[in-house]
Amino acid sequence: MKPRFVAFLLIGMALLSVLLAACVRPGTETTGATGSGAGGGGGVASSSAVVHMNDSNFVQSTVSIKKGESLTLTNDAAVPHQIFNGSWVNGAAVNKLETGAPSVQVQFAGSNESHDIGPFNTAGTFKVYCSIHPNMNLTIVVQ
């Protein structure tokens, strides 16, 4: 009877661990956390919104954040990205550091990689783009 109980217990624990692992996707960040996000430096903790990237696009084209927050960019694809201030305009990459925007020069080598940009200390609309993938633009609205 003991070997049967041990086998039942091990199977139950294995099923529970599979169910628990299915609830958490690697590389995601919970909302409402402060001071989290890849590469967060010292100083005052701030909230960080997350924007994911796939093979050749930002998953969302616009994100809104509050003044003083940073933005975490997460690469979900096994392709490189090079993110800079500016945008693609009519098929041409246009570098532009808007007044009040933090300087952005971020390299992504491959998947499951995250980098913070910011903090964005000035309200306004700012743009970043991937210099490798035409028309890969992100608009950041800081309120």
Side-chain angles (χ1 to χ4, degrees), residues 96-127:
K96 182 178 181 185
L97 178 60
E98 292 111 338
T99 302
S103 179
V104 177
Q105 295 180 3
V106 181
Q107 308 289 321
F108 290 87
S111 61
N112 295 325
E113 189 177 357
S114 294
H115 293 285
D116 285 347
I117 59 174
F120 289 83
N121 294 319
T122 303
T125 301
F126 307 103
K127 296 181 182 278

Side-chain angles (χ1 to χ4, degrees), residues 1-10:
M1 181 151 164
K2 281 190 176 188
R4 185 176 285 168
F5 176 75
V6 171
F8 179 75
L9 184 63
L10 289 174

Side-chain angles (χ1 to χ4, degrees), residues 12-35:
M13 289 174 58
L15 288 173
L16 182 62
S17 66
V18 168
L19 290 173
L20 182 61
C23 292
V24 178
R25 189 181 97 191
T28 60
E29 198 170 313
T30 57
T31 59
T34 59

Side-chain angles (χ1 to χ4, degrees), residues 4-142:
R4 185 176 285 168
F5 176 75
V6 171
F8 179 75
L9 184 63
L10 289 174
I11 290 171
M13 289 174 58
L15 288 173
L16 182 62
S17 66
V18 168
L19 290 173
L20 182 61
C23 292
V24 178
R25 189 181 97 191
T28 60
E29 198 170 313
T30 57
T31 59
T34 59
S36 61
V44 178
S46 65
S47 297
S48 181
V50 179
V51 172
H52 292 267
M53 299 178 289
N54 60 26
D55 290 342
S56 61
N57 283 301
F58 292 101
V59 173
Q60 61 194 80
S61 60
T62 304
V63 62
S64 294
I65 62 174
K66 292 180 182 173
K67 186 174 161 183
E69 289 183 339
S70 293
L71 178 65
T72 300
L73 301 177
T74 299
N75 187 7
D76 295 329
V79 298
H81 293 289
Q82 295 178 350
I83 310 300
F84 297 100
N85 298 90
S87 61
W88 287 94
V89 178
N90 297 324
V94 177
N95 289 321
K96 182 178 181 185
L97 178 60
E98 292 111 338
T99 302
S103 179
V104 177
Q105 295 180 3
V106 181
Q107 308 289 321
F108 290 87
S111 61
N112 295 325
E113 189 177 357
S114 294
H115 293 285
D116 285 347
I117 59 174
F120 289 83
N121 294 319
T122 303
T125 301
F126 307 103
K127 296 181 182 278
V128 296
Y129 75 104
C130 176
S131 65
I132 297 173
H133 300 101
N135 300 315
M136 184 172 170
N137 294 317
L138 176 64
T139 301
I140 305 156
V141 178
V142 180

